[in-house]
Amino acid sequence: MATPVVLQLPGWRNSGPDHWQSRWEARHGDVRVQQHDWEWPRRGDWMARLDDVVQAQQRPVVLVAHSLGCLLVAAWASVSRHTARVRGALLVAPGDVEAEDGPVPPLPGWRPIVRERLPFASILVGSQNDPYCTLARAQALARDWGSDWVDIGPRGHINAESGLGDWPEGRAWIEPWLHGAGAAGPA
């Protein structure tokens, strides 16, 4: 069985060099799905780009999404004919674009958040003090998407400022998908 390609799906404004996604890309050879516009993302454009990248892979894929990337996975999975190519998805710190008083400006086209159950295994990792999504909202998204839920405590937006470094604990959650097994679930 072929080892999957790990596709990194950063959120709004991309992930900088100290972000765990960038570190995984450098360390493990993951593939970042590059978007045309990181500053003013359009959901349809991002979905089309993800579909193109998934189709271009010669192997199955594991999706690793952060923030707006989590919402991208849900929206893409609701319409794509290529979801069977996904072994699993790690969804980290989803951004709540529906929050009226949140720190993200309104991003046209991203509301409402697609809340259909994902057609592949997934783990959603949330933080108790994420300024971009309350713990209750993240837990609700995990339920709606059928994702295993992981609360990693007060780690902010689970980004470079969270001090995770290479974040080996996060990487461990995708290892079963990389080696052909079903999701082991969070430990």
Side-chain angles (χ1 to χ4, degrees):
M1 186 175 284
T3 301
V5 174
V6 176
L7 297 180
Q8 293 289 344
L9 306 170
W12 178 52
R13 295 187 168 166
N14 205 349
S15 293
D18 295 327
H19 194 288
W20 57 267
Q21 282 186 306
S22 300
R23 294 170 72 115
W24 285 10
E25 188 178 347
R27 184 178 184 118
H28 303 287
D30 299 351
V31 175
R32 181 173 305 228
V33 176
Q34 293 291 342
Q35 296 293 348
H36 174 69
D37 192 341
W38 293 105
E39 195 65 32
W40 298 107
R42 295 175 187 261
R43 183 161 62 177
D45 291 349
W46 279 34
M47 290 166 57
R49 177 69 180 139
L50 176 55
D51 213 50
D52 288 346
V53 173
V54 168
Q55 288 181 69
Q57 303 309 309
Q58 300 301 310
R59 298 178 282 162
V61 299
V62 170
L63 305 176
V64 176
H66 181 257
S67 195
L68 193 63
C70 300
L71 308 188
L72 166 63
V73 169
W76 171 79
S78 72
V79 298
S80 177
R81 293 179 299 188
H82 306 286
T83 58
R85 303 193 68 193
V86 178
R87 285 249 184 99
L90 181 64
L91 309 169
V92 180
D96 187 357
V97 296
E98 295 175 342
E100 295 300 325
D101 57 351
V104 177
L107 297 174
W110 288 91
R111 292 181 185 192
I113 295 172
V114 174
R115 292 165 108 50
E116 295 175 23
R117 185 175 185 85
L118 296 174
F120 39 76
S122 61
I123 298 169
L124 194 150
V125 182
S127 166
Q128 295 173 3
N129 62 342
D130 187 342
Y132 294 93
C133 187
T134 67
L135 190 65
R137 289 283 285 172
Q139 290 171 320
L141 289 172
R143 279 191 304 276
D144 292 343
W145 293 338
S147 304
D148 289 337
W149 166 251
V150 178
D151 175 348
I152 66 165
R155 298 310 292 253
H157 195 45
I158 315 176
N159 55 12
E161 289 76 30
S162 300
L164 299 169
D166 289 340
W167 198 31
E169 298 85 1
R171 189 73 184 194
W173 288 319
I174 70 169
E175 286 299 319
W177 298 324
L178 296 178
H179 301 291

